Amino acid sequence: MPSPQPTSPHTPRFDTLTVPKASDVLAAEVRERILSGEFAEGTPLPPERQLVEQTGLSRATVREALRILEVERLVEIRPGRGGGAFVHRPGRESLANTVQLVIRGQQIRLESLHETREAIEPACAALAAGRRTEQDLADLDAAHTELVEAGDDIRRFLRANVRWHNAVAKAGGNELLIGFLSALSESIYAATHLEQFTDARTREVTARAHARITEAIRAGDGAAARRRMSRHVCGFARAAAEVDRREQVELAKPES
């Protein structure tokens, strides 16, 4: 048996190579063609049998690639006659869903959610002042009316509050900010025990803040909209933090 050749100190070395799975390669190609705009929304992909013939891959590999894209919400699988895989280009709802999954999966602290909101929502208000349409203003007014008319119906009040904040982001016209704000608003709504501090006084202050911000947006005054929104969301965060502190004190009290 021949003895191994001695290794020269100058002999090149190679790291272990990892060969990607064929299904990942096919999914990557389809993903790129969707995201590049080559495949428009609703475009049907070739039937499974044709994909097998065109790619030379097995049916199991093709199916796995389609499942990957379905999980990523880049294709929609429709069953039955006339069904198949159809292109679904990601929109703001995809971003919002992903952000919400990260928030829940990483158990992001409520304090961090408020910090993020304080960082981006004033910018949304400023953009809204410069870009709002008559429809945007109508949406803001409708959400505000719903909030005011909610009265003592806390759930209705809180949903109208989320609706108004999302309408501000939508008026700004930035798809990324719309998606982020939607996820943040829903997560803050779900994570905060708002009923414990949303008394009549707090609801009145919130309604007044919304009216003043809407006024600045309607007037096209970006600086005022940014300033008023910053004051509003920072005040909301302080109120929520105060309630959390009171709850912790109550829980820490020894039983009598």
Side-chain angles (χ1 to χ4, degrees):
M1 182 175 181
S3 58
Q5 295 294 320
T7 302
S8 164
H10 301 295
T11 301
R13 292 184 58 82
F14 295 89
D15 294 329
T16 301
L17 299 179
T18 301
V19 179
K21 294 169 60 178
S23 56
D24 290 336
V25 174
L26 176 57
E29 179 179 347
V30 178
R31 182 187 303 114
E32 177 58 30
R33 296 174 79 171
I34 292 173
L35 296 179
S36 69
E38 180 179 346
F39 294 163
E41 175 76 23
T43 299
L45 295 182
E48 187 178 285
R49 177 178 52 80
Q50 289 186 22
L51 281 173
V52 169
E53 293 174 354
Q54 292 173 11
T55 63
L57 301 175
S58 69
R59 176 161 293 187
T61 297
V62 168
R63 285 180 177 174
E64 185 177 354
L66 293 176
R67 279 196 295 268
I68 292 171
L69 295 167
E70 184 181 23
V71 169
E72 295 175 348
R73 298 178 60 83
L74 290 175
V75 300
E76 177 188 357
I77 307 298
R78 302 176 191 170
R81 183 181 297 273
F86 295 82
V87 171
H88 176 73
R89 290 177 59 78
R92 70 181 66 152
E93 74 284 351
S94 299
L95 173 60
N97 291 337
T98 300
V99 173
Q100 282 189 294
L101 286 175
V102 172
I103 289 171
R104 295 188 65 185
Q106 295 296 317
Q107 298 182 342
I108 303 297
R109 295 176 300 116
L110 183 57
E111 180 183 1
S112 295
L113 298 181
H114 282 304
E115 288 172 350
T116 305
R117 188 182 185 186
E118 291 168 19
I120 68 175
E121 194 155 12
C124 289
L127 288 174
R131 299 175 178 174
R132 88 289 183 279
T133 65
E134 290 303 316
Q135 183 58 55
D136 291 326
L137 293 174
D139 292 342
L140 286 167
D141 289 340
H144 181 68
T145 298
E146 178 75 10
L147 182 142
V148 171
E149 293 180 350
D152 294 331
D153 185 340
I154 304 302
R155 290 292 177 186
R156 181 183 174 191
F157 173 88
L158 296 176
R159 293 309 311 175
N161 184 56
V162 170
R163 179 183 169 192
W164 183 87
H165 282 274
N166 287 341
V168 172
K170 180 175 174 292
N174 183 302
E175 293 295 329
L176 288 176
L177 291 175
I178 293 170
F180 274 119
L181 238 299
S182 175
L184 282 174
S185 296
E186 292 294 338
S187 297
I188 290 173
Y189 170 81
T192 308
H193 302 299
L194 296 171
E195 293 91 338
Q196 300 185 34
F197 70 88
T198 311
D199 54 20
R201 170 61 178 166
T202 303
R203 294 197 300 273
E204 179 184 343
V205 170
T206 298
R208 189 162 59 247
H210 285 195
R212 285 178 54 76
I213 295 165
T214 300
E215 180 183 82
I217 291 173
R218 179 174 275 107
D221 190 339
R226 181 190 296 272
R227 184 175 63 252
R228 294 173 186 178
M229 181 65 84
S230 180
R231 187 182 305 126
H232 173 50
V233 295
C234 288
F236 183 92
R238 285 195 300 271
E242 180 60 30
V243 170
D244 286 343
R245 281 193 294 271
R246 289 204 301 268
E247 286 183 347
Q248 291 168 9
V249 169
E250 289 296 324
L251 289 173
K253 283 183 178 179
E255 295 183 3
S256 56

